[in-house]
Amino acid sequence: MWSPEKIAALLAEDVPYGDLTTDLLGIGSAPARMVFRLRQAGVVAGIEAAAQLIRAAGGAAELQSATGARVEAGTVLLRAEGPAGALHRGWKVSQTLVEYLSGIATATAALVEAARAVNPHIAVVTTRKTFPGVKAAMIEAIKAGGALPHRLGLSETVLVFPEHRAFLPDTLAALARLKREAPEKRVVVEVDTLDGVEAILPAAPDILQCEKMAPEGIAEVVALVRAAGIAVKVAAAGGVNAGNAAAYAAAGADILVTSAPYWAKPADVKVVLEPA
């Protein structure tokens, strides 16, 4: 559930000083009803927040679906009733929220399904490149689509980039120190070439995050790891999307790291608002 403060802030952003049109027309007290439907099949996200928005605006909302539900075109997601003024205030901000988040959830599900059709056990995770200020909502959407967050923030995980290694006189010694000093954390190291993989493997990181390598490159990394006999997971990152997820899974990647769902086209939610 979204906090009351967050819901109030979203409404205040869209309706800071009242609804001028509805107020001038004098229809605010008329009884009304509103229905949300998804025009295409997809995965629902954000519908609970939409209901909270409508209630905060002064209407009554009844959920017909839930975040994470996979629905067919035309499925009713939410029904609302109340004064026309209340429903007009809650209408667009709630509709837009459901459209954006359901678009992300649907795109995530497509990517997950493509990868797991090849490897049912592959992990699909999304980066921390969420739009600032709405991370919680975007993470809720990717989870609805079947993925998990790769990295919620810098405080959570140990991920060594080339930009870190540029400051290290001895990378292997530094990685060994990380494993000693943060034994409860997995050490992830980003690499972008086979030479880089070979240079890092002696440190036995928990995960090699292979940046912008083609599926063929990932297959070579997997072969190197297996030949070394080290328990290292291989993550494909950078450019992973629904169109190539199956190829990366077939190449042997254990993990797919992606930002693609965050840029998904919004879902199309039809809203009918009419007199009750």
Side-chain angles (χ1 to χ4, degrees), residues 27-45:
I27 61 172
S29 61
R33 62 190 173 202
M34 183 164 63
V35 178
F36 283 42
R37 288 184 174 87
L38 205 59
R39 290 183 188 269
Q40 294 97 19
V43 179
V44 180

Side-chain angles (χ1 to χ4, degrees), residues 27-37 54 58-62 64 76 78-92 94 270-276:
I27 61 172
S29 61
R33 62 190 173 202
M34 183 164 63
V35 178
F36 283 42
R37 288 184 174 87
I54 291 165
E62 181 180 348
Q64 305 294 302
V76 175
L78 177 149
R79 297 183 188 276
E81 59 182 24
L87 299 194
H88 275 279
R89 284 191 297 275
W91 168 20
K92 279 298 177 183
S94 56
K270 179 182 180 180
V271 176
V272 175
L273 199 172
E274 61 188 0

Side-chain angles (χ1 to χ4, degrees), residues 64-108:
Q64 305 294 302
S65 187
T67 288
R70 297 177 180 234
V71 302
E72 297 302 318
T75 299
V76 175
L77 308 181
L78 177 149
R79 297 183 188 276
E81 59 182 24
L87 299 194
H88 275 279
R89 284 191 297 275
W91 168 20
K92 279 298 177 183
V93 63
S94 56
Q95 177 187 13
T96 304
L97 189 72
V98 174
E99 287 182 330
Y100 273 102
L101 297 185
S102 296
I104 292 171
T106 300
T108 302

Side-chain angles (χ1 to χ4, degrees), residues 81-153:
E81 59 182 24
L87 299 194
H88 275 279
R89 284 191 297 275
W91 168 20
K92 279 298 177 183
V93 63
S94 56
Q95 177 187 13
T96 304
L97 189 72
V98 174
E99 287 182 330
Y100 273 102
L101 297 185
S102 296
I104 292 171
T106 300
T108 302
L111 197 157
V112 171
E113 288 169 4
R116 290 187 179 157
V118 176
N119 176 4
H121 304 295
I122 197 166
V124 179
V125 297
T126 58
T127 73
R128 75 180 212 272
K129 291 174 69 175
T130 53
F131 194 83
V134 291
K135 175 176 288 188
M138 296 178 82
I139 294 300
E140 176 184 301
I142 62 97
K143 289 171 67 178
L148 288 171
H150 166 53
R151 204 179 187 207
L152 288 170

Side-chain angles (χ1 to χ4, degrees), residues 194-216:
L194 289 177
D195 288 344
V197 171
E198 291 177 329
I200 293 297
L201 267 181
D206 297 291
I207 300 171
L208 282 169
Q209 181 166 300
C210 302
E211 174 69 8
K212 289 186 169 61
M213 287 189 183
E216 296 77 14

Side-chain angles (χ1 to χ4, degrees), residues 1 11 48 50-63:
M1 297 288 283
L11 279 177
E48 293 84 1
Q52 286 182 262
L53 283 161
I54 291 165
R55 291 168 188 148
E62 181 180 348
L63 291 170

Side-chain angles (χ1 to χ4, degrees), residues 121-276:
H121 304 295
I122 197 166
V124 179
V125 297
T126 58
T127 73
R128 75 180 212 272
K129 291 174 69 175
T130 53
F131 194 83
V134 291
K135 175 176 288 188
M138 296 178 82
I139 294 300
E140 176 184 301
I142 62 97
K143 289 171 67 178
L148 288 171
H150 166 53
R151 204 179 187 207
L152 288 170
L154 292 176
S155 304
E156 182 197 36
T157 52
V158 179
L159 174 48
V160 182
F161 287 109
E163 291 81 0
H164 293 114
R165 300 200 296 274
F167 294 89
L168 301 174
D170 187 336
T171 296
L172 297 185
L175 294 178
R177 187 174 70 252
L178 284 176
K179 297 183 83 169
R180 287 195 307 272
E181 295 182 359
E184 81 287 3
K185 298 291 187 182
R186 290 192 174 191
V187 174
V188 186
V189 181
E190 184 180 273
V191 291
D192 56 10
T193 65
L194 289 177
D195 288 344
V197 171
E198 291 177 329
I200 293 297
L201 267 181
D206 297 291
I207 300 171
L208 282 169
Q209 181 166 300
C210 302
E211 174 69 8
K212 289 186 169 61
M213 287 189 183
E216 296 77 14
I218 294 296
E220 292 183 271
V221 173
V222 170
L224 281 173
V225 169
R226 288 176 179 169
I230 302 173
V232 177
K233 290 188 179 295
V234 176
V240 177
N241 55 56
N244 58 28
Y248 279 109
D254 301 293
I255 305 164
L256 301 185
V257 182
T258 181
S259 301
Y262 296 146
W263 324 123
K265 179 181 178 181
D268 189 355
V269 175
K270 179 182 180 180
V271 176
V272 175
L273 199 172
E274 61 188 0

